[in-house]
Amino acid sequence: QSTWAADGWLSSIESDNNWKGGEFKRVLQSNYEWILSLSISSDKLIIGSIEKFVDIDYFNNYNVIDVTHIPKSDISRDIYITDIASVRSGYQLICTSEGCVYFYSENNTDESRLLAEKQQLHSDWITGLLVDDQSQCIFTCSKDCTVKVWRIEIDSWGSNTALKLHRLGTYRLPAPLTTMEFIQESTVESDTLSNGIKLILGDQFGNLQLISWLGN
């Protein structure tokens, strides 16, 4: 069995028999352009890399449709696209290592699909992004030791649309957060957490934290 190593070179690695190899597609030209995040929406795959994200047509041989570069505020520092998620029909939320987010419109046909200015959500890397479809709440966690919950506010005038996130709450933890996921009701004991939207978070010191958002 063969696989691609992080530096782009083929290496021989044994795999177990429960896997079937698929197609390999190089969509970023440099071996140093890591794919850091993925989001699938309608007929496209959106991948996040360093200082840019790329629309991929996965129904048409994974051809690159469009490349959008994130504006750099500090020329000496790379900006990483840390997470991407669909937040409503036709829009993606792009998270960065600066603690900022951008709204991205899949429907715009002009040169810039980034809507308005970036919005500062955290003071350090955004390391997790979750969207609860039922409540329409958006959760972010960060290396700044906080998890926050947001709701989208939309202003429209004529053919223009402005989106921003309104913060509903903040929960501070003792260590930088590295990941988070929703918890299904059946996976925790009934007295572990109260009612609400339940989250499990991991930090850089190996700890897990269970929390629950009780707001509306």
Side-chain angles (χ1 to χ4, degrees):
Q1 300 284 341
S2 295
T3 188
W4 283 88
D7 60 3
W9 292 97
L10 270 174
S11 59
S12 179
I13 297 177
E14 290 298 322
S15 301
D16 61 53
N17 294 326
N18 294 320
W19 296 91
K20 181 180 180 181
E23 262 186 305
F24 176 86
K25 293 290 183 182
R26 179 173 293 285
V27 294
L28 299 180
Q29 298 306 309
S30 170
N31 292 337
Y32 302 101
E33 292 184 291
W34 300 355
I35 294 177
L36 299 168
S37 48
L38 297 167
S39 177
I40 294 178
S41 178
S42 62
D43 60 345
K44 292 188 296 185
L45 170 67
I46 299 178
I47 64 173
S49 182
I50 301 173
E51 299 172 6
K52 66 184 178 184
F53 54 95
V54 183
D55 284 359
I56 305 293
D57 184 350
Y58 63 84
F59 285 132
N60 186 21
N61 202 33
Y62 291 84
N63 289 328
V64 174
I65 301 171
D66 187 49
V67 178
T68 303
H69 291 267
I70 296 295
K72 293 189 68 172
S73 58
D74 183 350
I75 197 169
S76 65
R77 183 174 60 180
D78 288 335
I79 301 172
Y80 299 89
I81 308 300
T82 57
D83 216 335
I84 305 172
S86 297
V87 291
R88 56 181 291 122
S89 178
Y91 293 100
Q92 299 279 336
L93 191 62
I94 310 294
C95 298
T96 75
S97 55
E98 290 187 312
C100 302
V101 295
Y102 294 86
F103 282 102
Y104 171 71
S105 171
E106 300 176 25
N107 301 322
N108 285 6
T109 57
D110 58 7
E111 292 183 0
S112 176
R113 297 185 180 190
L114 288 178
L115 301 185
E117 297 293 325
K118 66 183 178 183
Q119 184 175 349
Q120 190 80 41
L121 303 189
H122 292 270
S123 61
D124 208 331
W125 285 54
I126 297 175
T127 53
L129 170 65
L130 296 172
V131 180
D132 181 66
D133 293 331
Q134 184 172 358
S135 68
Q136 294 299 303
C137 287
I138 297 170
F139 296 85
T140 57
C141 69
S142 170
K143 291 173 66 176
D144 67 6
C145 307
T146 65
V147 55
K148 299 182 180 181
V149 57
W150 312 82
R151 183 160 288 149
I152 296 179
E153 294 181 346
I154 304 172
D155 293 323
S156 298
W157 63 98
S159 60
N160 299 313
T161 301
L163 290 85
K164 66 177 182 178
L165 295 180
H166 171 71
R167 183 169 57 86
L168 302 177
T170 300
Y171 193 94
R172 182 167 294 277
L173 291 118
L177 300 169
T178 54
T179 188
M180 71 175 171
E181 189 52 82
F182 289 126
I183 303 176
Q184 301 300 320
E185 191 74 36
S186 60
T187 62
V188 294
E189 297 179 8
S190 59
D191 58 350
T192 302
L193 295 173
S194 303
N195 293 328
I197 300 173
K198 300 171 180 62
L199 301 170
I200 184 167
L201 299 109
D203 67 30
Q204 73 176 39
F205 299 131
N207 303 308
L208 290 175
Q209 178 79 36
L210 306 181
I211 64 173
S212 180
W213 166 248
L214 304 177
N216 297 321

